[in-house]
């Protein structure tokens, strides 16, 4: 059985969902992972209006598309971050409010609880997202940064997120953190530290996205193996390291898409992710959820790229073997 | 003529200067680059007390050691940084004061001016140091970070540092920023942006330290070539990238010295810096200042390491050729 | 002219030949390389029953499939090996008999002669297979292993196989050893030693299979060039080295398909074999026989993999050039 | 908008143009880059006979093929080279004449002027070609070769080519030198020296062909970036470095196609050129001209290779993005 | 405190111990790891004769040399191996006896118990050695080799060695297996399997020798980390992988020292072992035992090589740091 | 027994021999390889004046220096080259004469015969040198260069050099060509072609210099193995490939010492030559002649570099082993 291949709508939120859904259907996708921004999946309306979710369902069903996860990265980011003007640009006004940092964080936390409830109502079991972090920006330890300073960041995360996760648990919805720089967990070691900080809360796990490991030089396979029971969702996204002696892996304060950066995101299949290895690892841990293409490549037209990425995944998502190596050698035909 | 090889005293500030100076002499160093912390070079006392600098001179001269630069990284860091509790640990109480961030930054700026004056009084032409940065921590552009946001950081740096640099110019002392993550310039591109922000102020240049480029995968030679007229001082320091598929180049919020980090500092000659190439490049640009060993290796006893590093530099700091390739082939002996 | 692309049936012997042949036809193969196990090609029945071979012919011809080689790896392995319980599992009862090692080896040798005769009757010119080895298991020279000890192994091989090869010669059939660890020849140097041991018997050559060289870090092209006159058959099979600092190239006593092994077989095109280079080398030596896919990949469903591999070979098996580089530049149109 | 993909006819000049044009059309090419040898584009006839160009137009138009450039490498080569017997083989008799070197060079120069005129008459804006060089063969500086010796070569080039380029300018046609060993420019540095020698004549630029940089270990992207305003045409051609410890990058006086060479040309997509990166760089500089496949691979049948290469380019020539990274995150839907 | 650097005498057993001990002293070694062959340390005489051990002590003490371990690889090898003629060459006649395999194995087992007793009498706490293996030679799983087959080998090892280890425990001596191909444990995974088979017997651990991991492409650091509590002894030995496309990592049945092998042992410091990393790892786990040079290099005179290796180790065995990174930055001088 | 380490005087010919000889003695060299230019070894004077050679002998003997080879690269170069103004700068006037190319070549040929005679008189058995080549400059086969064209160059070489070699044979002196770009042989394949052209004349062999292979990416070990019977002399010289994406391996018409070249010569031990491997190969073929340092590094003072290189060679020129691997394991002490 093939895994469903979905398209994450986050990078297309400038388009109305209906427009995008028709395109995705035309390209051959099996479903959509709806972003909680643009008009794709509005948490407040989902909870307030009976007809809202029904209309979404009708739209997707009418096209034969499934929705297996929704995603609220932007609001999640604001639950733990030191808030500044950049956050205003990614939040609805009702959450930004007067922009007082602590108020923003608390409203964002409430919205994440609401997102769990909306997911349940929509019949979706997984919410992907970000968490932000109060200590991310201090990852290079100068001025000297004692571990107690970092510990405080993880404690604050736990304090803010345990109540949210309890709502997820009530709603029987999983929260899947996309492990990513700028988040409380951005690699294998910080993912372990994060789990420990929340006492391995059963509703918390990960949205595996290998693109964020490539530029950190982490083997994504190790993440799959180390967190096999916490892999709630998978993003298909790719990144490329482009070193030439002048480019910095820290990206030099340059925009995505600037070729002088030391790394960038590229259309899946054109970067450093070894998809064959990813599929084998997912087969080993028996992951059966969707493969959701998060398409981002500042150097390629997205309507060219999305179907290319879909074709790549279709070619890679092979079935595991059901035979042992030596079955065909057995001499059972002998009498 | 060999370049003088000095020892930067910053990593030895827990020792009284007299103790350290005798050790350095015993190992064979030509001089010291004095740190403005510990009792090594105290800016306030240098300016206030006639005898302070004379005593320092006598101590060094008595041992036959030279001082070609002083360094005030810790105070410099506090001129532009968002101030938090980590900064208190690296500042004298008179600068920290009540810890109000803007007050700290302004007192730090005044101290940097004072450092220029103290350097002049001590007969030293170069002050090395850091600047901090209000935008460093936002180097990964999520939440989406527009260039205007980054520009603001560079403008603020210019506003704070132009007055400082004017004092340096009056005193005929150069400020040499050690290009380094956490600073306003951390690679080639941000160094260019920094120079532009201060309109190429003639008193501002760089303390070249290749160790900070290794883990960014930048070729240090390119830095030398691109900023040959701004290379005011050179640090001999090394770093090693240690990737194994689990370690992250971002270092996972782990302390220096933890082997699970993706990179770390190591004793010069044991890391990724190609010193032969560095020396050739310094020869090409005719750099004639000191080679100052900044010794830092969390896995090695420093008293083992410092003389080892000195021996390495002595072996590497060769003289350039003064002959053209074909001189010996000329047939001048012919008649 | 394109080379025929066949499927080796050894890894499908749990299926009746008829079932497999129909699948292979459906995928687009040109023919089958029949394994002498399962019901695919039974040597005893081929020699005993008039109708057996005719039925095989009819089956293949009816589907438009060719048979250009048969293969008897399992019996061949038992001609020189120290026999233990593992051999019982791969032999028909009539050859295993009471399991006395020397008796098994002699019956296996007779069966290889019979295989030559059956091939001739079936109109096939090449038999692929293994030979086993009495010294393979001592490849690491501890306890100290003198060359005389190894020489004995090669002499024993010659003594057992020269009579077999004489039968092959009478029947005008070639024996093609698949060079492979566990065999008398497993690399370039042991292949040379093997040929020398049998005085370059004209009926003995090789079934070239690059997958067995990849994990030995041998360039398969060199094998093609060194044995160009002895290349009687070609297997298309691939392998992948998967080193991460913990995996051993010796595979740690782990089963095929265990990802902790240092190497494994993978579907052709997904491993370390550079097929473009293989085809160019085969073109240079003018190899015109089949390209026979031996499909083995413990991580992929074989019915997914076989057609994928076939498509890869079709894309790679390009024709050589018939023009010299400078032909089109000649100025013959000039008058 | 997709760039037109054309086929350079130089490697097919043994075929009549009509034959080739029909093949190219059948494979799906958008047009042809006509070589000025064979019967493809004869400069003398183009200038002498009214009907010649009309007939070419009719042939191409009839097939729906465009001609965006013509190429005169062979004659161009003879304008600066030391002439020997090899040049006779690539020149029409009317230019070779009595073979006196200086006479050949002067007649070749006149022919290049004529080529500009013929291009204008044919409605083509770009002429690709070579220039030869009087100093190429002395690239290894033994016997000791002073820069004055090399300078003389560049001055001679300028003296011969400025009059030619003035004719190009009158005709409003560009000359695009294919940067290539054996030419006055063969890498980035010699391309700069070439431009300087002719005072940056506006009619002179480059036909970018990455295959000539691969075996020099030059990153083709750097050429695109450094000469973005001089990139008048693009060849799609590939090369492979094939080092094994015995092969020399200087190719050992071996013919193209001999596998013992250290490098060779291969069908586009099978060599060392990273086409994805090339396309991104061409997008960045907004190159809108043709991608012209110069197909050359001594190990592959050209009729197999040309459509393969075309398919590769079609897959790679993607459109750039028209959206900024953060557009879809904007919260404009908020009220 | 520096670790003692000793010389393993196994490769020098053709010399009388007295001769060797004087050489070793002259080169500057701190002690010897005595081999239980030649006249270096004879287990039977040690147990039978009062004066034997006293004479050894006097010899070593007289030269100021220490003995911190003895080694009995050759006899140990014979406890589990399938015995053949090669074993006769490495065993004393009293253990070989009539050469009946099972008899040899049992006498070898008794000798290992005696070795523990002799070590205790000599005041030595560690015995290094080999174990052999009944399944090593079947490491490539063809004929198909089920895990049950391999399990049998580990069970046999446990049955033979648990009684031996009990004697070691009584004597308060540790047995340190040198993990090595041909042994029951040859990599990380088989070392784990071995420990499990003997229920983690406290007297069993490892003699860490990185040279045996280099040609398996295993990172020796991982072995140190995974078995930090079982590292009873350390060998300084080096190996080099020498691939050229023709050499096989399996070594082609060629003798050590034949340059056509894919790998070989070389003098420490000239191979693939990164000693700086080894020392840091040993520092981390606080290993305080000897660094014992096992010198083996078939291409170098051993009397040239041993002092070279000693000098390399002296340079590498640096002390760990006792300071935290940020100690010198603390502002304690502030008042 | 250690090989003598000599200094080639060619790069020091601007110094009087006496000055240089004293320096070399002071640095610890065992002897000198005298260049036939400057005043080091003047062929005409050696043949004309009785006292000339005696004075040279006395100078060297007085310092305890040996002379094991003389070298005449510059004159040799002019025997086959197309002669131009560069050659005048490297020839004495009596050979250059009127500069007519053929006259120069013939006088150079006579001088090489004279060099053999002078070597004999001086008691030296080997003359190193160059030959030049009439076809070197055409190594890139455009314009299309048929093999017949290249063959002509090798035939011309044979015609010119066979008479010279006959004189060498009469004098019982060997000529050792330094395989080098610009010569008739510049790699393994052209060295084979050269030997064949002169019918394997017994007086012709090679001066092995690995530096000329590094930038061609040839493994120098292969040269040693392929020409083991023709290795008459060894140069210790090193080269470094310095690729950064802009630098060309063809060196861009830039002078030695320009860091923008793709490769350059560097002091032995600082480049790409693996000296440990070279020594092992020389040991294998039992080369017993001198190791002669040809010191050339445009970025380093030669008086710094020569003793550094000498120290490197002393450390590398180890003796081979005289013991088989298993000698120390033999149980001969058993009774």
């Amino acid at each position: 059985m093939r895994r469903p291949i979905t398209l994450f709508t986050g990078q297309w939120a400038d388009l109305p969902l209906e427009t995008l859904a028709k395109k995705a259907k035309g390209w051959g996708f099996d479903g959509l992972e709806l972003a909680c921004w643009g008009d794709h999946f509005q948490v407040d309306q989902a909870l307030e209006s009976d007809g809202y979710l029904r209309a979404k369902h009708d739209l997707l069903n009418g096209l034969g598309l499934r929705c297996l996860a929704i995603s609220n990265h932007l609001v999640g980011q604001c639950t733990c971050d030191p808030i500044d003007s950049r956050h205003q640009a990614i939040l609805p006004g009702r959450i930004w409010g007067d922009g007082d940092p602590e108020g923003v964080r608390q409203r964002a936390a409430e919205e994440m609880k609401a997102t769990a409830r909306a997911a349940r109502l929509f019949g979706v079991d997984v919410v992907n997202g970000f968490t932000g972090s109060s200590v991310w920006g201090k990852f290079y330890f100068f001025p000297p940064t004692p571990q107690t300073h970092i510990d405080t960041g993880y404690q604050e995360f736990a304090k803010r997120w345990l109540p949210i996760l309890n709502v997820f648990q009530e709603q029987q919805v999983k929260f899947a953190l996309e492990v990513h720089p700028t988040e409380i967990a951005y690699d294998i070691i910080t993912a372990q530290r994060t789990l420990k900080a929340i006492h391995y809360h059963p509703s918390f796990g990960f949205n595996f996205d290998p693109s964020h490991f490539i530029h950190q030089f982490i083997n994504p396979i190790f993440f799959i193996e180390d967190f096999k029971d916490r892999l709630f969702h998978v993003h298909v996204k790719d990144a490329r390291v482009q070193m030439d002696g002048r480019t910095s892996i820290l990206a030099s304060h340059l925009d995505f898409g600037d070729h002088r950066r030391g790394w960038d995101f590229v259309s899946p299949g054109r970067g450093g992710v070894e998809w064959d290895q990813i599929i084998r690892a997912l087969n080993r841990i028996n992951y059966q959820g969707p493969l959701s293409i998060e398409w981002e490549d500042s150097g390629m037209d997205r309507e060219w790229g999305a179907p290319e990425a879909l074709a790549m995944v279709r070619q890679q998502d092979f079935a595991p073997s059901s035979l042992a190596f030596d079955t065909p050698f057995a001499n059972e035909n002998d009498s």
Side-chain angles (χ1 to χ4, degrees), chain A:
Chain A
M1 200 208 66
R2 304 275 295 268
R3 295 177 183 96
I5 306 179
T6 55
L7 179 68
F8 174 43
T9 71
Q11 276 78 7
W12 313 73
D14 55 311
L15 299 181
L17 180 59
E18 184 170 354
T19 306
L20 175 61
K22 286 177 181 166
K23 286 179 189 281
K25 180 63 188 176
W27 293 325
F29 281 91
D30 300 318
L32 297 177
E33 172 197 351
L34 295 178
C36 297
W37 53 95
D39 78 340
H40 294 194
F41 192 95
Q42 290 151 293
V43 169
D44 53 345
Q45 299 193 28
L47 295 180
E48 289 161 14
S49 140
D50 274 5
Y52 184 82
L53 290 181
R54 201 174 325 118
K56 294 283 175 199
H57 264 298
D58 291 349
L59 168 61
L60 298 183
N61 283 346
L63 289 164
L65 293 170
R66 306 166 67 186
C67 178
L68 297 159
I70 62 172
S71 292
N72 205 347
H73 295 68
L74 301 182
V75 170
Q77 184 68 26
C78 301
T79 58
C80 294
D81 257 18
I83 300 298
D84 62 34
S85 64
R86 300 172 302 158
H87 297 80
Q88 184 172 13
I90 60 171
L91 282 179
R94 61 190 168 82
I95 297 177
W96 176 257
D98 61 1
D100 170 71
E102 185 53 25
V104 171
R105 283 191 288 262
Q106 291 184 10
R107 284 186 293 275
E110 291 309 309
E111 180 80 355
M112 291 313 290
K113 294 177 189 167
T115 306
R117 293 186 190 103
R120 175 50 43 238
L121 287 178
F122 197 49
V124 161
D125 299 327
V126 175
V127 171
N128 298 312
F130 285 154
T131 60
S133 165
S134 62
V135 289
W136 151 254
K138 286 152 191 165
F139 84 95
Y140 190 109
F141 281 4
F142 189 86
T145 308
Q147 283 296 329
T148 51
H149 190 99
I150 301 301
D151 285 340
T152 304
Y154 283 82
Q155 289 156 12
E156 185 187 330
F157 160 73
K159 198 184 56 171
R160 292 185 189 277
W161 269 81
L162 282 171
I164 300 173
L165 294 170
N166 288 340
V167 175
F168 272 82
Q169 194 169 15
E170 287 163 21
Q171 299 294 330
Q172 300 188 1
V173 176
K174 303 284 191 188
F175 178 74
L177 169 62
E178 186 168 326
V179 177
H180 178 289
T182 74
E183 308 312 313
I184 194 69
Y186 57 92
D187 63 8
I188 292 173
I189 287 170
T190 52
Q192 290 162 334
R193 196 169 187 168
T194 298
L195 280 170
K196 192 174 172 198
I198 53 168
H199 315 303
Y200 304 91
H201 192 291
S203 303
F204 183 89
F206 301 114
N207 175 30
F208 170 73
D209 183 334
S211 68
H212 308 306
F213 300 136
I214 292 301
H215 63 95
Q216 294 189 72
F217 302 92
I218 294 169
N219 185 342
I221 303 304
F222 292 158
F223 192 92
I224 295 175
E225 290 169 358
D226 286 3
F227 300 104
K228 59 166 91 64
D229 298 330
R230 299 276 172 167
L231 230 66
F232 296 161
H233 197 260
V234 170
H235 266 185
V236 172
K237 194 182 179 193
D238 213 334
R240 179 191 288 167
V241 171
Q242 44 200 25
M243 291 297 174
D244 65 5
R246 286 186 195 280
T247 54
S248 162
I249 198 66
L250 299 178
S252 311
H253 281 153
L254 295 167
D255 286 336
F256 289 106
D258 191 310
H259 71 286
R260 296 169 301 162
R261 291 172 56 96
W263 71 273
D264 211 337
F265 294 116
V266 288
S267 186
R270 292 177 179 263
V273 177
E274 298 182 82
W275 294 103
D276 173 289
Q277 304 258 35
I278 300 285
I279 295 299
R280 288 172 196 267
L282 293 176
N283 286 348
R284 283 201 299 276
I285 70 164
N286 198 25
Y287 171 79
Q288 297 184 335
L291 302 175
S292 189
I293 293 175
E294 180 182 4
W295 196 92
E296 184 175 329
D297 184 331
S298 300
M300 187 187 284
D301 181 72
R302 63 184 174 180
E303 304 211 5
W304 171 293
E308 175 188 274
L310 176 61
M312 186 280 288
V313 181
R314 288 250 182 268
Q315 186 181 15
Q316 288 294 348
D317 186 31
F318 50 80
S321 175
S322 56
L323 279 181
F325 158 68
D326 48 5
T327 306
F329 300 142
N331 58 354
E332 57 206 321
N333 64 302
D334 187 49
S335 59

